[in-house]
Amino acid sequence: MTARARLTAVVGVLALVAGCGAIPMEKSSTEVSKIAANHTEIDRTYRNLEKARGAAFTALDPDILALVESGSVLAVDGGAIDVAKRLNGNASTGSGISAAQVEDVYTPRLSEYPLWYLAIARDEARGVRRIQIFERETSTDRWELTATPEALISTVLPVPKTSGDELETVDPDDGTALVASPGDALRAYAAALGDPQSPDAGQVTADSFVTQMRAQAAGLAKPGTTFARTWASQPVEHAVRTEDGGALVFGTLMRQDGWVLTPGATVSWPADSEQRAYFGEPMARSGVLRYYHQVLMYVPPTDGVGLPRVLAQYGGVIDSEDTAGIATP
């Protein structure tokens, strides 16, 4: 894409998002007691999101993403753009951004900002559902995507519980009628990922994500290196009740992969890998890659079956560090 074409894309997205900024004057938090958003706002927000993401990945410009995303979503998508630029310069690589059809929207009644709502969208092209949280800090701010874990379309998702039209929420520290509080469940899951022998490993399910991450880690332990991986959970910000009495928990895990090279050793990585993007070819120095993984975890009710497990995830590299040792969270 030429510089002029990239500029045209950016200007077009800026105009689109700005044109949707005609919203009410900001109210104080004490005046807020309402459903987060109406269907017109939600449809417009989703349309803006997909157009901005498409433009950002085409132009390889993370500044466009910052118009519609924040938090760990922005960090992951910004990391993907950074990897693409490191591997391919400014040439667009075709990001695979595809349109999705919003299937369901759940809106809680909130008493203070930030307002947020839950949307479930079906992406037929990629065979996934996106389970997404949109937030805005004040009535004068744009809606931003802050969570977007993805599950295979075949995955059966527990149905969020509503009272009338209002989504029921769960406090992250409240484990009433649940096998664990949302916050405790996510912390136990991070501990289990970090150490299969951890006492917390028996408190969560060794699900497909756990299996995938352990198998991947084994493949990253290259000859001539000492490899280590650590996990840490971030505070849970959103959890919602399900119709069966359980809870759906939106959480973020930080993963760090570190390699210490034996003096004189080098390592080769696949051509399209983030390791090659950040450490070069061949890798001749020790270093750390950091990742965020947004997860959607299901916590069963105390009278239910099974242990907390992850149903969906969205993650990627967010930054790197050259180091003589391996950093920990």
Side-chain angles (χ1 to χ4, degrees):
M1 174 178 279
T2 67
R4 181 172 181 175
R6 285 196 296 272
L7 179 60
T8 300
V10 173
V11 171
V13 171
L14 284 168
L16 175 66
V17 177
C20 295
I23 46 184
M25 294 298 291
E26 181 178 358
K27 299 178 180 179
S28 70
S29 61
T30 58
E31 294 176 302
V32 178
S33 180
K34 63 178 182 178
I35 293 294
N38 60 46
H39 286 288
T40 299
E41 287 179 289
I42 291 165
D43 290 344
R44 183 174 60 228
T45 296
Y46 212 84
R47 185 169 63 252
N48 291 345
L49 171 70
E50 292 192 331
K51 289 182 178 179
R53 281 176 56 85
F57 278 94
T58 298
L60 296 182
D61 186 350
D63 290 341
I64 303 177
L65 288 175
L67 298 172
V68 294
E69 298 180 352
S70 64
S72 51
V73 174
L74 179 59
V76 169
D77 286 345
I81 287 177
D82 191 36
V83 168
K85 292 176 74 171
R86 287 171 180 268
L87 293 176
N88 303 288
N90 288 323
S92 176
T93 57
S95 63
I97 296 298
S98 55
Q101 180 66 42
V102 177
E103 294 183 318
D104 293 294
V105 174
Y106 299 90
T107 54
R109 182 172 293 277
L110 301 169
S111 60
E112 61 183 5
Y113 284 99
L115 300 184
W116 61 272
Y117 64 86
L118 164 63
I120 300 176
R122 184 184 183 97
D123 184 341
E124 287 284 357
R126 296 177 53 243
V128 299
R129 278 191 175 87
R130 307 173 191 165
I131 305 93
Q132 302 176 306
I133 297 290
F134 290 83
E135 297 186 56
R136 73 178 182 190
E137 292 293 329
T138 74
S139 63
T140 57
D141 288 326
R142 305 181 187 99
W143 287 103
E144 295 177 331
L145 179 68
T146 60
T148 185
E150 298 179 343
L152 294 175
I153 288 178
S154 59
T155 301
V156 178
L157 299 174
V159 178
K161 184 178 181 181
T162 58
S163 296
D165 293 331
E166 299 173 19
L167 176 65
E168 291 193 15
T169 61
V170 179
D171 187 285
D173 297 322
D174 186 1
T176 304
L178 298 170
V179 298
S181 73
D184 285 344
L186 188 66
R187 285 188 286 271
Y189 195 81
L193 280 164
D195 180 7
Q197 306 306 316
S198 164
D200 290 309
Q203 305 303 310
V204 295
T205 302
D207 52 39
S208 59
F209 182 68
V210 171
T211 302
Q212 175 191 354
M213 289 295 102
R214 289 177 181 167
Q216 182 201 62
L220 292 175
K222 300 289 187 178
T225 72
T226 299
F227 173 74
R229 171 174 287 180
T230 62
W231 293 88
S233 62
Q234 308 297 300
V236 172
E237 294 187 3
H238 301 297
V240 303
R241 186 70 64 188
T242 56
E243 287 189 348
D244 64 359
L248 286 174
V249 180
F250 291 83
T252 298
L253 302 170
M254 175 181 275
R255 163 186 146 208
Q256 293 193 148
D257 289 355
W259 294 264
V260 174
L261 271 64
T262 301
T266 60
V267 177
S268 291
W269 297 104
D272 61 349
S273 66
E274 58 262 31
Q275 289 84 6
R276 178 175 290 204
Y278 286 105
F279 299 138
E281 177 57 30
M283 178 182 179
R285 62 190 188 278
S286 301
V288 170
L289 292 181
R290 295 184 182 87
Y291 298 76
Y292 277 148
H293 291 273
Q294 291 192 329
V295 296
L296 178 71
M297 173 178 281
Y298 171 65
V299 179
T302 50
D303 60 355
V305 176
L307 297 170
R309 60 187 183 275
V310 163
L311 303 176
Q313 79 92 23
Y314 183 77
V317 67
I318 59 170
D319 63 28
S320 69
E321 179 182 345
D322 293 340
T323 175
I326 296 175
T328 57

